[in-house]
């Protein structure tokens, strides 16, 4: 065996291994996709991956939900909720992180301690007080509970992550910028922001994913079905006392993961960069 | 330098403020019609008085429920009917999945924003009643004459003598029997039998084919099926005496009941709990049920049709329920899968009562609702749904079977979340063989006494 064929063999083996691993990883998604064409009996009664027949009917039936609201509306709602929340989170967290890392002020240590302590509060503990605050502000059944939390950097995890990242950026850069006549804001957006890009992208991506997938908060704050997001809509037809048409649920679940899959492919570079530079994993 | 710093702080603050400010203004504008229940005067309310009907200020009510597609569609249709008849009332439907329903409701109760009309879980309703979140419906205009008085007394009065919640359907414990398999093995669920007979049958099934089981039941349903029902049969009373916070069950009685649970799992009469746990209460998804490997399923009448639909290849009947030979009461009760109530802080209780009256007493509404909330609670509605062919025969049979027993509901402290958790843990410990029935009985008595002492 020549060296060349040996190398090729090794490559083939490596690729085969990767392909098998990859298939194992995407298997649940594949199963969900094919399950959308199966009948209930087929889903629960057989282990076969491929359905007996393909038909678009579950997608058509599933798209319109009870009460004449269709998934177009639910998708629209989801983006109206998720996109501003993500952008505002990134904006506010960056500002707060900038304040904590680059400025000295009275009580900074205590405030930082406070920030970290809110990081440790589980969601279940703060949900009722938070709900009460938002009720007083009269914003229940709107998306403002999400926006407001984002505006005021109430996602301590991202703030903390950006603070840690920004601490790693040398202060010399700021100083040289000050000498050249930059103001404090210009230092942030012209000097630090470009360097923060990997951290900001990973914060944004994860906030997008987490908000998109979030069920509990949407459930608590949103009452009207016409304002439901995808995660709430997907459960609308699941109940122990009715016969659930699982193929329709699966069909809509397939549609629901499309934006996330697209996002992953488009932002793949940043995912990897974000994970390697911030140590944050999804 | 210092000045710049101050400037920066002010700038940052003003930036945040402007964001927040614009948030508030747009919000109040778009929010106004959405969730408030206050009465807003229509501009032309005064001019319409010439009509025969008296003029009403428009009222908007919120109605929340959980369910699946069929229930959503039917309930929305009834809301439409109602709005046509009472044009000044708008009902905002807030429906969703049962997942998280109670969490949300508790949050809303805690901050006074619960919907006007609320579908309630039966286990949670007594606690809501105790917290005074529910309106006394006997004082409203709702007509209860179509209901059976004993049924009402057992369901939704919580021992108060007034109706605080209305049962939305009739249900009871049901044993869904795969008749084909039962006949093959020679088991007859249609005759009266006692608890020990179940163990005997279970052994018979295992002897016939070790891969088959007599009973498939999840922990959530099996615990009340055995522990609470046995308590009612032994004493004719619930486990806990609500009036003076004492136990009606003795330690020996608990031991006896737990001994039965031990037998059930030791002899493979029931499917192992570890296997059942995978499916929660969604036992229609269990491939072994679909493949027809269980003789019977222990559940409620409301899930009978779902279990039937999961494996359409078999014939099903509703089996009789086990009783002790020397019982003080049959123990099996007719209860309901869910209640509906009116929020005590509702601003428009009269209109909410109008809606519930329509919901339960209007024939068109009965026809539309069919059996989306189990068998309808009134005799009249049952007749209408049966005639329209909407009542599943198996469901009807299951309800009829459960009607022949004379038990009394144990809804109250016995069904509270804490006591249920204590009993479920006991059930698990014995089923998994971690503790002996005697040890566990002692544990239950001491835990429930602790709970009662704190009441």
């Amino acid at each position: 065996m020549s060296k060349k064929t040996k190398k090729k063999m090794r490559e083939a083996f490596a690729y085969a291994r990767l392909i098998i691993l990859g298939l194992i990883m995407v298997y649940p998604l594949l199963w969900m996709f094919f399950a959308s064409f199966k009948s209930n009996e087929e889903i629960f009664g057989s282990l076969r991956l491929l359905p007996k027949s393909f038909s678009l009917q579950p997608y058509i039936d599933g798209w319109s939900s009870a009460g004449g609201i269709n998934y177009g509306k639910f998708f629209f709602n989801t983006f109206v909720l998720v996109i501003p929340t993500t952008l505002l989170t990134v904006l506010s967290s960056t500002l707060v992180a900038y304040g904590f890392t680059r400025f000295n002020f009275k009580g900074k240590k205590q405030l930082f301690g406070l920030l970290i302590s809110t990081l440790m509060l589980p969601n279940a503990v703060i949900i009722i007080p938070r709900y009460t605050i938002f009720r007083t502000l009269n914003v229940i059944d709107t998306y403002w509970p999400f926006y407001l939390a984002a505006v005021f950097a109430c996602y301590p995890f991202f703030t903390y992550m950006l603070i840690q990242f920004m601490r790693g950026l040398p202060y010399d850069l700021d100083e040289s910028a000050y000498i050249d006549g930059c103001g404090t804001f210009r230092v942030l957006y012209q000097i630090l922001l470009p360097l923060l890009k990997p951290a900001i992208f990973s914060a944004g991506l994860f906030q997008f994913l987490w908000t998109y997938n979030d069920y509990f908060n949407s459930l608590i704050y949103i009452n009207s079905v016409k304002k439901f997001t995808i995660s709430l809509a997907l459960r609308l037809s699941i109940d122990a006392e009715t016969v659930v048409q699982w193929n329709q649920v699966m069909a809509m679940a397939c549609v629901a993961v499309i934006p996330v899959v697209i996002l992953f492919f488009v932002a793949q570079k940043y995912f990897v960069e974000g994970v390697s530079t911030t140590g944050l994993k999804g | 330098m210092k000045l710049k710093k101050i400037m920066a702080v002010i700038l940052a603050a003003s930036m945040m403020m402007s964001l927040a400010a614009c948030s508030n203004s747009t919000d109040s504008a778009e929010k106004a019609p959405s969730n408030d229940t206050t009465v807003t005067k229509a501009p032309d309310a005064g001019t319409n008085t010439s009509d025969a009907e008296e003029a009403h200020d428009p009222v908007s009510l919120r109605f929340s429920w959980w369910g699946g597609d069929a229930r959503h569609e039917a309930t929305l249709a009834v809301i439409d009917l109602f709005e046509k008849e009472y044009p000044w009332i708008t009902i905002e439907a807030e429906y969703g999945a049962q997942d998280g329903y109670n969490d949300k409701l508790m949050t809303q109760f805690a901050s006074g924003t619960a919907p006007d009309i609320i579908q309630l879980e039966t286990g949670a309703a007594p606690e809501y009643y105790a917290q005074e979140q529910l309106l006394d419906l006997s004082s409203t205009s709702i007509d209860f004459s179509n209901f059976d008085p004993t049924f009402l007394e057992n369901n939704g009065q919580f021992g108060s003598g007034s109706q605080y919640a209305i049962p939305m359907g009739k249900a009871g414990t049901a044993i869904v029997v795969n008749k084909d398999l039962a006949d093959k093995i020679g088991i007859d669920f249609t005759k009266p039998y006692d608890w020990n007979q179940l163990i005997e049958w279970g052994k018979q099934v295992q002897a016939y084919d070790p891969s088959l089981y007599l009973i498939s039941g999840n922990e959530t349903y099996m615990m009340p099926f055995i522990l609470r029902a046995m308590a009612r049969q032994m004493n004719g009373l619930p486990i806990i005496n609500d009036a003076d916070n004492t136990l009606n069950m003795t330690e020996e009685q608990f031991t006896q009941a737990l001994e039965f649970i031990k037998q059930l799992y030791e002899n493979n009469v029931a499917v192992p709990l570890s296997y059942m746990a995978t499916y929660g209460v969604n036992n229609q998804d269990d491939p072994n049920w679909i493949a027809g490997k269980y003789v019977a399923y222990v559940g409620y009448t409301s899930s009978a049709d779902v279990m039937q639909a999961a494996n359409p290849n078999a014939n099903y009947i509703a089996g009789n329920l086990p009783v002790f030979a020397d019982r003080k009461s049959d123990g099996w009760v007719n209860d309901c899968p869910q209640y509906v109530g009116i929020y005590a802080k509702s601003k428009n209780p009269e209109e909410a009562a109008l809606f519930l009256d329509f919901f339960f007493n209007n024939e068109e509404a009965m026809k539309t609702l069919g059996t989306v909330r189990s068998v309808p609670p009134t005799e009249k509605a049952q007749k209408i749904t049966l005639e329209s062919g909407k009542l599943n025969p198996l469901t009807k049979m299951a309800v009829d079977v459960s009607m022949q027993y004379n038990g009394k509901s144990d809804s109250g402290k016995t069904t509270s979340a804490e006591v249920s958790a204590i009993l479920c843990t006991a059930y698990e410990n014995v089923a998994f063989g971690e503790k002996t029935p005697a040890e566990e009985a002692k544990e239950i008595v001491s835990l429930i006494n602790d709970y009662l002492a704190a009441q």
Side-chain angles (χ1 to χ4, degrees):
Chain A
M1 217 187 285
S2 76
K3 240 184 180 174
K4 223 175 173 185
T5 45
K6 227 178 190 176
K7 196 180 163 216
K8 267 200 174 152
M9 286 269 289
R10 210 174 322 152
E11 263 181 7
F13 181 69
Y15 275 112
R17 209 172 50 185
L18 284 176
I19 287 169
I20 291 171
L21 269 177
L23 274 178
I24 293 173
M25 296 287 197
V26 295
Y27 188 81
L29 280 179
L30 279 181
W31 187 89
M32 180 171 85
F33 175 71
F34 287 119
S36 69
F37 301 103
K38 296 176 183 172
S39 66
N40 279 2
E41 234 181 302
E42 224 183 325
I43 290 177
F44 296 110
S46 108
L47 284 176
R48 269 164 46 102
L49 179 64
L50 293 176
K52 281 182 196 143
S53 64
F54 286 91
S55 143
L56 273 181
Q57 206 53 42
Y59 285 82
I60 297 164
D61 294 340
W63 186 260
S64 61
S65 157
I69 303 168
N70 66 32
Y71 271 74
K73 176 77 179 151
F74 293 138
F75 268 108
F76 177 77
N77 291 343
T78 309
F79 290 120
V80 170
L81 168 73
V82 172
I83 293 173
T85 307
T86 310
L87 294 178
L88 290 171
T89 306
V90 170
L91 190 77
S92 62
S93 303
T94 313
L95 273 179
V96 174
Y98 184 47
F100 270 121
T101 44
R102 291 302 200 247
F103 300 94
N104 278 314
F105 48 88
K106 236 186 173 174
K108 178 172 152 180
K109 271 199 172 146
Q110 287 76 5
L111 283 174
F112 188 69
L114 201 66
L115 178 88
I116 297 299
S117 64
T118 59
L119 185 63
M120 313 208 171
L121 276 178
N123 194 24
V125 175
I126 54 173
I127 193 85
I128 290 186
R130 255 197 188 183
Y131 186 92
T132 318
I133 293 175
F134 288 128
R135 191 213 46 195
T136 323
L137 293 174
N138 237 347
V139 292
I140 298 300
D141 202 24
T142 68
Y143 301 140
W144 284 103
F146 302 90
Y147 300 162
L148 285 176
V151 167
F152 292 106
C154 296
Y155 295 97
F157 180 75
F158 296 114
T159 313
Y160 178 64
M161 191 185 95
L162 285 168
I163 288 174
Q164 288 309 94
F165 194 85
M166 221 185 266
R167 276 182 178 159
L169 300 177
Y171 196 63
D172 308 355
L173 291 173
D174 301 39
E175 277 176 343
S176 62
Y178 282 128
I179 289 168
D180 289 345
C182 272
T184 35
F185 263 104
R186 211 152 147 209
V187 169
L188 175 64
Y189 73 82
Q190 279 196 329
I191 309 290
L192 295 178
L193 223 49
L195 294 167
L196 272 177
K197 226 166 86 180
I200 285 182
F201 264 94
S202 60
L205 286 172
F206 284 102
Q207 177 67 335
F208 184 94
L209 281 185
W210 290 344
T211 319
Y212 190 90
N213 290 339
D214 182 34
Y215 176 74
F216 191 66
N217 287 301
S218 320
L219 173 80
I220 297 288
Y221 294 125
I222 301 172
N223 298 330
S224 315
V225 178
K226 55 181 185 288
K227 289 179 187 156
F228 270 19
T229 56
I230 288 289
S231 58
L232 291 175
L234 278 175
R235 311 271 181 111
L236 266 180
S237 41
I238 304 178
D239 190 64
E241 286 172 17
T242 33
V243 180
V244 180
Q245 293 301 326
W246 282 105
N247 52 4
Q248 293 178 17
V249 176
M250 292 296 173
M252 285 308 107
C254 286
V255 179
V257 297
I258 290 175
V260 183
V261 172
I262 292 176
L263 180 79
F264 180 78
F265 281 115
V266 173
Q268 203 174 14
K269 194 179 119 202
Y270 298 105
F271 262 109
V272 177
E273 220 170 73
V275 169
S276 59
T277 51
T278 62
L280 175 62
K281 293 184 190 72
Chain B
M1 202 65 210
K2 187 134 200 196
L3 197 81
K4 268 192 176 166
K5 251 187 206 170
I6 295 169
M7 275 288 284
V9 170
I10 294 171
L11 268 174
S14 64
M15 211 170 111
M16 299 304 258
M17 289 302 279
S18 66
L19 275 169
C22 81
S23 77
N24 278 335
S25 59
T26 44
D27 156 65
S28 51
E30 78 171 24
K31 217 206 61 77
S34 65
N35 90 333
D36 61 351
T37 53
T38 48
V39 183
T40 42
K41 283 216 164 162
D44 57 347
T47 55
N48 276 354
T49 30
S50 52
D51 291 1
E53 294 214 8
E54 56 178 307
H56 296 274
D57 290 336
V59 168
S60 144
L61 298 170
R62 291 160 59 211
F63 175 20
S64 77
W65 73 86
W66 76 86
D69 277 336
R71 186 182 290 172
H72 300 325
E73 302 278 5
T75 313
L76 288 168
V78 169
I79 291 176
D80 272 350
L81 285 175
F82 176 77
E83 285 177 345
K84 259 182 212 134
E85 197 146 334
Y86 301 90
W88 73 93
I89 305 176
T90 344
I91 301 215
E92 279 172 43
E94 296 176 2
Y95 51 92
Q98 191 170 5
D99 203 356
Y101 185 87
N102 249 336
D103 302 326
K104 177 169 182 166
L105 199 54
M106 278 193 258
T107 316
Q108 290 177 325
F109 279 145
S111 54
T113 54
D116 302 84
I117 306 161
I118 321 161
Q119 180 174 315
L120 301 159
E121 287 180 13
T122 40
E127 284 170 56
Y128 296 146
Y129 157 73
Q131 293 166 14
E132 296 179 0
Q133 304 286 8
L134 303 176
L135 187 78
D136 177 5
L137 301 175
S138 301
S139 67
T140 63
S141 60
I142 302 173
D143 173 17
F144 288 107
S145 60
N146 277 329
F147 285 87
D148 172 32
T150 349
F151 181 61
L152 276 185
E153 197 193 320
N154 268 332
N155 296 285
Q157 296 197 351
F158 315 116
S160 68
S162 302
Q163 207 68 31
Y164 280 88
I166 308 176
M168 293 188 102
K170 250 186 193 167
T173 307
I175 295 188
V176 179
V177 181
N178 180 336
K179 191 168 183 307
D180 303 340
L181 190 59
D183 285 349
K184 231 189 286 174
I185 306 174
I187 291 170
D188 183 10
F189 266 99
T190 57
K191 63 172 196 199
Y193 60 94
D194 67 0
W195 291 93
N196 285 332
Q197 180 72 59
L198 281 178
I199 307 283
E200 296 310 312
W201 279 341
K203 287 178 185 161
Q204 199 180 329
V205 172
Q206 283 278 307
Y208 179 83
D209 179 349
S211 75
L212 304 180
Y213 288 92
L214 178 74
I215 291 173
S216 145
N218 62 64
E219 184 194 313
T220 321
Y221 294 169
M222 288 298 275
M223 186 281 286
F225 177 76
I226 297 173
L227 288 176
R228 277 171 34 204
M230 278 190 172
R232 292 189 302 253
Q233 293 184 0
M234 286 168 173
N235 302 320
L237 292 166
I239 293 176
I240 293 171
N241 183 340
D242 281 8
D244 53 6
N245 282 336
T246 51
L247 267 173
N248 286 327
M249 278 278 265
T250 62
E251 199 179 310
E252 291 72 51
Q253 288 177 323
F254 272 124
T255 313
Q256 193 191 341
L258 291 167
E259 182 61 39
F260 177 78
I261 296 171
K262 189 177 160 219
Q263 294 287 324
L264 207 59
Y265 289 95
E266 259 184 12
N267 294 309
N268 285 326
V269 175
V271 184
L273 270 196
S274 51
Y275 178 83
M276 294 307 292
T278 326
Y279 300 96
V281 295
N282 292 317
N283 302 100
Q284 69 274 19
D285 300 346
D286 180 352
N288 284 342
W289 172 262
I290 296 170
K293 284 183 177 281
Y294 307 141
V295 177
Y297 171 74
V298 169
Y300 293 97
T301 49
S302 52
S303 47
D305 57 337
V306 180
M307 296 307 289
Q308 180 183 31
N311 174 16
N313 301 325
N315 292 306
Y316 296 94
I317 55 162
N320 278 335
L321 300 168
V323 284
F324 284 118
D326 55 346
R327 60 189 176 274
K328 289 214 175 95
S329 140
D330 290 343
W332 300 108
V333 282
N334 255 284
D335 53 8
C336 61
Q338 61 275 120
Y339 293 120
V340 66
I342 296 178
Y343 186 31
K345 290 185 193 148
S346 167
K347 289 191 180 112
N348 303 295
E350 279 164 44
E351 283 80 3
L354 265 184
F355 176 72
L356 286 185
D357 190 57
F358 182 89
F359 193 90
F360 288 109
N361 295 323
N362 181 287
E363 285 187 21
E364 200 57 40
M366 292 174 187
K367 211 179 281 174
T368 315
L369 285 169
T371 55
V372 293
R373 284 183 181 82
S374 178
V375 174
T378 60
E379 207 54 56
K380 194 170 155 197
Q382 276 177 36
K383 225 180 108 200
I384 289 177
T385 41
L386 196 62
E387 275 164 8
S388 64
K390 276 190 176 164
L391 189 53
N392 177 314
L394 179 67
T395 312
K396 170 91 174 107
M397 181 176 182
V399 171
D400 286 346
V401 166
S402 77
M403 296 281 269
Q404 40 176 3
Y405 302 101
N406 67 3
K408 258 196 138 186
S409 166
D410 57 3
S411 172
K413 290 193 180 119
T414 307
T415 58
S416 70
E418 266 183 79
V419 175
S420 294
I422 294 170
L423 295 174
C424 275
T425 313
Y427 188 97
E428 264 175 39
N429 284 345
V430 173
F432 283 123
E434 276 172 17
K435 283 193 180 158
T436 65
E439 282 169 6
E440 196 52 56
K442 203 171 196 172
E443 180 93 18
I444 295 183
V445 171
S446 98
L447 285 173
I448 294 187
N449 278 331
D450 284 352
Y451 162 80
L452 290 174
Q455 292 298 301

